Amino acid sequence: MPTPDKQLSAEQSRQIADTIREEIARRRISRQSLAELAKLSLSTLEKVLGGRRPFTLATTVRLEQALGVSLRKTADAPAPVAPNGNGDIAPDGLGAYSRRAVAWIEGTYVTVRPSFGDKDAIFAYRTEIVWDTVASSLVFHESERQDAAYTQYGEVAVPNQSGHIYLVTNRHGQYRLITLARPAISGEMYGIITTLLAGRGSLLTPIAAPIAYLPIKMIPSPTFGRISQSDANYAVYRQHLRRTVDEPFALFLPG
């Protein structure tokens, strides 16, 4: 029986590193995200992926459980087990939904909200919502953000009671919450983002704004980043943001 701290061979370590890099690219997640899911330090993950330290059995098992794939090519490699063991049912804390019941939410979206730095501009990025076998729930990952350091990922809650969808980021107790109405017939989702606005130094200020998730197939040539009035997609992005409040899918009360 191998010990948990057994070091794998150089060839095994190289093959595992290659597989992990492929999974990171395929899922469009950051190394920091993977390190947190596997409960490893980013430094440890960087060293093993860079070949500066061999993989140990314990580290490999953690990464297998985080990714939901087998990284070892040997016969004695056990299949990774989802932490909650519920298969196609999400945890109760996320709404206990089945994978089949939320399949219509899965997909890639153009996400638009007002720019926090320019009142006349719109901030746009890509969000992918997919089923994660290990977490046994929907998860979301952002990309194409101009402010890449603030890229978010997290869990998706779909409780039956409220009829709304919640995209939840929890980083060491610091939350960002997006509350969305159920999709329209054509797939758009509208709601509110509640987050923190980064100011000078360490100053953080709570802020809320309308937000819209548009199936990427709706936008023939999507543009991302800070969208000004000269951008070809500015008008349609603005129209969807206004719909959030005009219909209304969300309310903003005066102080």
Side-chain angles (χ1 to χ4, degrees):
M1 179 70 69
T3 57
D5 59 349
K6 173 189 173 184
Q7 290 188 349
L8 305 186
S9 68
E11 179 61 20
Q12 283 179 308
S13 294
R14 185 189 64 77
Q15 291 177 351
I16 291 171
D18 287 345
T19 302
I20 291 173
R21 282 193 288 267
E22 289 175 5
E23 288 294 320
I24 287 174
R26 184 176 66 83
R27 303 180 188 205
R28 293 197 290 273
I29 61 173
S30 68
R31 293 186 177 189
Q32 178 68 56
S33 303
L34 177 57
E36 291 182 6
L37 287 172
K39 296 180 172 59
L40 297 171
S41 70
L42 178 60
S43 173
T44 295
L45 182 60
E46 293 283 8
K47 287 176 181 177
V48 293
L49 289 181
R52 300 191 301 276
R53 177 187 296 179
F55 280 86
T56 65
L57 186 58
T59 297
T60 304
V61 168
R62 287 188 179 189
L63 288 164
E64 286 178 332
Q65 291 176 338
L67 291 168
V69 299
S70 178
L71 299 172
R72 292 165 287 167
K73 306 304 180 184
T74 59
D76 63 344
V81 178
N84 60 30
N86 287 334
D88 286 345
I89 303 296
D92 184 66
L94 296 178
Y97 52 83
S98 69
R99 181 176 188 179
R100 180 179 297 180
V102 296
W104 43 275
I105 303 175
E106 292 189 71
T108 302
Y109 297 85
V110 178
T111 307
V112 295
R113 63 158 172 80
S115 169
F116 295 157
D118 182 348
K119 64 181 180 63
D120 295 321
I122 294 171
F123 193 70
Y125 53 90
R126 183 193 303 262
T127 301
E128 185 176 9
I129 299 177
V130 298
W131 183 269
D132 187 294
T133 304
V134 174
S136 191
S137 71
L138 289 175
V139 297
F140 71 92
H141 303 280
E142 297 175 355
S143 61
E144 303 284 354
R145 284 189 60 141
Q146 186 181 51
D147 55 348
Y150 295 96
T151 296
Q152 304 285 325
Y153 61 94
E155 300 171 314
V156 180
V158 191
N160 287 324
Q161 292 88 341
S162 73
H164 282 69
I165 299 163
Y166 303 86
L167 275 58
V168 185
T169 300
N170 177 5
R171 295 292 167 267
H172 311 293
Q174 180 171 301
Y175 282 78
R176 187 197 73 170
L177 177 64
I178 296 172
T179 304
L180 299 168
R182 294 295 179 102
I185 294 176
S186 48
E188 313 98 297
M189 295 187 289
Y190 302 93
I192 294 176
I193 177 174
T194 306
T195 187
L196 295 173
L197 174 63
R200 294 182 178 179
S202 60
L203 178 64
L204 296 172
T205 305
I207 189 170
I211 194 167
Y213 284 73
L214 316 174
I216 199 163
K217 63 184 179 183
M218 290 183 61
I219 312 296
S221 299
T223 44
F224 302 103
R226 184 171 292 180
I227 309 301
S228 66
Q229 296 183 29
S230 61
D231 188 279
N233 287 314
Y234 181 87
V236 67
Y237 288 174
R238 177 64 70 188
Q239 178 185 0
H240 282 288
L241 281 179
R242 285 177 176 161
R243 186 181 178 191
T244 303
V245 178
D246 290 346
E247 295 246 348
F249 290 95
L251 297 174
F252 293 84
L253 301 180

